[in-house]
Amino acid sequence: VALGLYFPRKEYLENVYVDEPAGTPLLRIHALRDSREEVAHFHLCQNLIVPRARPQENNWFQIREETGLLYLSKSLDREDFNMLSVGNWMPLSKVMLYVFLSSHPFQEKECDSATRTTVFLSLINATAPACSSLTARQLCFTEMDLSFHIKENKPPGTFHQLRLPSVHHLCQNLSISYKLLAAEGVPFRYNENTTSVRVTQRLDREERERYELIAKCTVREGFREMQVEVPFLVNVLDEDDSPPFLPNGTDTADAVVEFNRKEGTVLSTLTVYDADTTPIYPLESSRKKYTGTIITDDPWISETFRVEHIFDEIHFSPNGSQVRGTRHEY
């Protein structure tokens, strides 16, 4: 069953300042496809979620359905800030929005798509700071880690844009450029013109479960140059696509029973490896996945002997990278 489009990040984070003009771009949200034919459509549904208060009607934020660009549709003034911060005397108030995803254009008020991501907006009771007062880190990256989840066996696609739309919009006198530092042969490509990062091929979690890259940003202002580097991590999500395997190729074990064996004596063992999944909780779910059976027609044997099943997480090392899996022992 195709599960459809999905978000490579579970949540997004951005700052919104009082009196930023309508039309200011805030952040860019991406989606990845389950099959090549799909086209992503983004939609804001429901109200603004305000902590410790009733949800508020969303009058300030809009998203472009085709591109996933979230922007201010109305300037947030101090009166708006006071209403949304609800008796919160802090200079900052957090609100939440849900962005929904569909492979067809959204009908009005259609908000039952299970695929959604959360956008946290920090509303700041101050006007946007001067670009020259921001650090290289603030100009280049949000406070969130650059950490992504990409499903294995899915088509290639763009999953992130390094340039921050709000900074690009507000600080046009600064030159901000990026590089993605990675080992040779990793399946990601950086486009310097758009600052977007693309996964270039289908991934296989059984080959590699995690990629660790570095995003490097250079800010130039006149003769001044600042650089900052942050980790850029991609985790590959598993799909149950590899059969279990037996280390010596046999799925049965013979047991020789001598007289006067004590109860609890181990007579025979059989090991099964599964590179595809790791032990899941509750443990019964992992246990039910494979069962061990004594093959016999003799009721006395069935009553006298039993198969015990224990399992633990192990690491395989294909191509020198560590991949988690499970060892089942019977």
Side-chain angles (χ1 to χ4, degrees):
V1 180
L3 294 171
L5 296 155
Y6 68 97
F7 291 106
R9 305 191 81 165
K10 292 191 172 64
E11 51 192 47
Y12 291 80
L13 183 68
E14 192 47 79
N15 296 332
V16 180
Y17 294 91
V18 165
D19 294 335
E20 280 187 282
T24 301
L26 297 174
L27 61 94
R28 179 83 191 273
I29 292 173
H30 289 83
L32 285 170
R33 295 170 300 164
D34 194 85
S35 61
R36 285 187 181 280
E37 310 75 61
E38 287 177 317
V39 178
H41 296 269
F42 301 89
H43 191 58
L44 281 183
C45 266
Q46 300 167 326
N47 300 325
L48 281 178
I49 315 290
V50 184
R52 305 181 304 281
R54 286 203 327 272
Q56 292 278 357
E57 196 176 334
N58 171 24
N59 299 315
W60 301 274
F61 307 100
Q62 241 349 298
I63 196 163
R64 298 207 192 287
E65 185 169 324
E66 283 80 28
T67 63
L69 183 73
L70 187 77
Y71 63 96
L72 270 173
S73 53
K74 173 182 179 292
S75 183
L76 181 85
D77 60 27
R78 290 194 191 272
E79 210 173 297
D80 298 331
F81 177 86
N82 293 338
M83 181 176 76
L84 291 172
S85 54
V86 197
N88 178 353
W89 301 111
M90 306 288 282
L92 179 148
S93 180
K94 261 204 171 76
V95 296
M96 249 165 61
L97 276 172
Y98 292 124
V99 176
F100 288 77
L101 189 54
S102 172
S103 54
H104 58 82
F106 274 87
Q107 306 305 310
E108 196 53 40
K109 297 281 182 270
E110 175 201 9
C111 294
D112 56 356
S113 157
T115 313
R116 70 178 194 191
T117 189
T118 308
V119 176
F120 292 95
L121 297 167
S122 295
L123 309 182
I124 297 169
N125 192 9
T127 52
C131 296
S132 56
S133 71
L134 296 173
T135 64
R137 171 73 212 231
Q138 290 168 313
L139 290 164
C140 294
F141 304 107
T142 64
E143 293 151 42
M144 279 190 78
D145 293 342
L146 289 181
S147 179
F148 306 90
H149 302 275
I150 297 180
K151 294 181 182 179
E152 66 171 340
N153 307 322
K154 303 300 177 200
T158 298
F159 63 95
H160 185 62
Q161 186 180 35
L162 284 164
R163 180 172 64 213
L164 303 179
S166 55
V167 171
H168 184 64
H169 180 76
L170 292 168
C171 304
Q172 291 176 5
N173 60 332
L174 294 181
S175 158
I176 301 174
S177 59
Y178 294 90
K179 273 198 171 75
L180 194 61
L181 310 179
E184 271 302 305
V186 298
F188 305 104
R189 185 163 299 134
Y190 170 64
N191 180 326
E192 271 189 26
N193 300 324
T194 60
T195 77
S196 58
V197 186
R198 178 179 175 79
V199 55
T200 57
Q201 63 189 58
R202 291 171 184 264
L203 304 181
D204 182 353
R205 193 202 71 93
E206 287 73 66
E207 288 295 316
R208 186 152 176 188
E209 191 171 12
R210 185 176 165 88
Y211 293 88
E212 299 184 16
L213 299 83
I214 288 172
K216 179 181 180 178
C217 176
T218 305
V219 180
R220 290 184 189 85
E221 186 182 16
F223 295 112
R224 206 161 67 110
E225 184 177 293
M226 300 180 285
Q227 290 189 334
V228 61
E229 293 183 1
V230 298
F232 186 103
L233 306 174
V234 178
N235 295 291
V236 185
L237 294 181
D238 193 58
E239 193 174 62
D240 205 349
D241 64 336
S242 301
F245 62 94
L246 300 133
N248 56 5
T250 173
D251 63 353
T252 53
D254 295 330
V256 176
V257 186
E258 296 172 357
F259 283 104
N260 297 331
R261 297 288 93 182
K262 284 199 172 72
E263 187 180 332
T265 301
V266 176
L267 303 168
S268 181
T269 59
L270 182 66
T271 302
V272 182
Y273 290 110
D274 188 346
D276 199 49
T277 55
T278 55
I280 49 176
Y281 297 88
L283 290 176
E284 280 315 304
S285 318
S286 282
R287 205 166 259 126
K288 281 178 190 151
K289 197 163 179 192
Y290 308 117
T291 53
T293 311
I294 298 173
I295 301 168
T296 179
D297 297 331
D298 186 333
W300 177 79
I301 290 178
S302 303
E303 286 162 19
T304 313
F305 302 97
R306 72 167 184 269
V307 179
E308 285 207 350
H309 177 192
I310 57 170
F311 51 89
D312 55 356
E313 183 173 294
I314 56 164
H315 288 95
F316 299 96
S317 296
N319 310 328
S321 75
Q322 281 209 334
V323 172
R324 293 172 303 145
T326 311
R327 175 175 51 208
H328 296 266
E329 297 216 59
Y330 296 92

